[in-house]
Amino acid sequence: MAQSFEGKKVLITGAGSGIGRATAKTLDGLGATLILCDISTDFLEQVKTDLEESGSSQPKHVYQKCDVSSPADCEAVVKSIPTSTGAEPKLDCLFNCAGINPTNIPITETTDSYFTRLMEVNVRGTFNMSRACVPLLSGQSSIVNVASNCGLRGYSGYTVYCATKHAIVGFTKALALELGPRGIRVNAVAPGYTDTPTMAGNVEGGDANQRLISGLALGRLGQPSEVADVVAFLFSPQSSYMTGSVVEVTGGLK
């Protein structure tokens, strides 16, 4: 049964594309008030147009440019959360979706700048936004982080990306223990090959996607909306006894 998010405020990073964008559409349809942030203002404008064209009844959505690797940017997003007159700002759910997708690079060819940028966005970005938002969360609140099948396995040529996503898994499990006594749940979703513009197979072109599909039990790529549905579940009371969990959404990765 679909859950209503009426009266709930949900902050989504990386909301301008892929899974973040799909999750914005899903939660908008369930009645949530959204604080949508992305490093690209063009992408945010596209999301705004999408929601308006779908008949969104939520005029109070906030669209905020944010580089999650910047603590100041994350704090600015938190300050943009709408409040009632005289009320303290509060947040119900945080979806840490912003991240940089992997590039197949041998370790001997991996530059310092590539290593630093992936760590700054994928790991520190999740930390920055979580730290900024935790004071606004209370009992029944929920955080969902984006890990990856690369956070549960190793892949040749993707050492840095795998390291960042393994870090997200550890961060999720530790933060779940820290915030559990306050009634705040923290989980992660670990997508597999999901059909987004920046997915490795789409970037490579040619037969790359078919090679990926051949390793999936369901025989097809995942859709961003299918991951979004899992995120909505993890935010909902239907997952009320789940915390510290990492939910794989991989189509049966062999």
Side-chain angles (χ1 to χ4, degrees):
M1 180 182 298
Q3 290 290 322
S4 171
F5 280 75
E6 294 286 348
K8 301 293 186 183
K9 295 176 184 174
V10 183
L11 194 159
I12 303 175
T13 70
S17 63
I19 292 169
R21 187 171 182 169
T23 304
K25 292 179 182 179
T26 296
L27 295 180
D28 171 74
L30 294 173
T33 296
L34 304 174
I35 300 89
L36 304 175
C37 53
D38 197 278
I39 198 170
S40 168
T41 54
D42 289 342
F43 283 174
L44 286 175
E45 283 297 322
Q46 292 171 18
V47 173
K48 184 176 182 180
T49 299
D50 284 351
L51 297 184
E52 290 173 347
E53 290 179 348
S54 68
S56 172
S57 59
Q58 298 293 326
K60 293 184 180 180
H61 291 336
V62 173
Y63 301 85
Q64 180 92 8
K65 181 179 180 179
C66 176
D67 178 351
V68 294
S69 69
S70 163
D73 276 17
C74 293
E75 291 290 346
V77 169
V78 167
K79 290 178 181 177
S80 74
I81 295 174
T83 62
S84 301
T85 303
E88 291 292 324
K90 75 178 187 71
L91 189 67
D92 296 288
C93 302
L94 167 63
F95 183 33
N96 282 308
C97 189
I100 296 176
N101 278 347
T103 302
N104 191 330
I105 307 175
I107 192 168
T108 53
E109 298 175 19
T110 301
T111 64
D112 290 347
S113 60
Y114 177 80
F115 175 91
T116 299
R117 187 59 180 158
L118 258 66
M119 289 292 178
E120 286 290 301
V121 175
N122 292 3
V123 182
R124 191 178 182 191
T126 299
F127 163 77
N128 284 341
M129 192 58 83
S130 297
R131 180 176 62 179
C133 289
V134 162
L136 279 65
L137 302 175
S138 59
Q140 310 305 313
S141 294
S142 178
I143 298 173
V144 176
N145 301 319
V146 170
S148 166
N149 59 299
C150 291
L152 302 169
R153 302 167 177 82
Y155 291 89
S156 176
Y158 297 97
T159 53
V160 179
Y161 184 77
C162 286
T164 66
K165 293 305 182 178
H166 275 75
I168 294 301
V169 170
F171 179 84
T172 297
K173 291 181 175 295
L175 192 60
L177 295 177
E178 181 176 335
L179 300 182
R182 291 176 50 189
I184 301 168
R185 298 183 298 110
V186 186
N187 293 292
V189 61
Y193 301 126
T194 307
D195 193 8
T196 65
T198 57
M199 188 195 71
N202 286 334
V203 172
E204 289 180 31
D207 296 329
N209 277 353
Q210 194 54 49
R211 291 196 299 271
L212 299 180
I213 289 170
S214 66
L216 302 175
L218 293 184
R220 65 174 177 85
L221 299 175
Q223 295 301 310
S225 61
E226 293 177 301
V227 182
D229 287 341
V230 177
V231 174
F233 166 73
L234 291 173
F235 281 151
S236 77
Q238 292 175 327
S239 62
S240 58
Y241 201 56
M242 291 179 67
T243 194
S245 299
V246 181
V247 182
E248 295 186 60
V249 189
T250 66
L253 185 64
K254 298 175 183 178

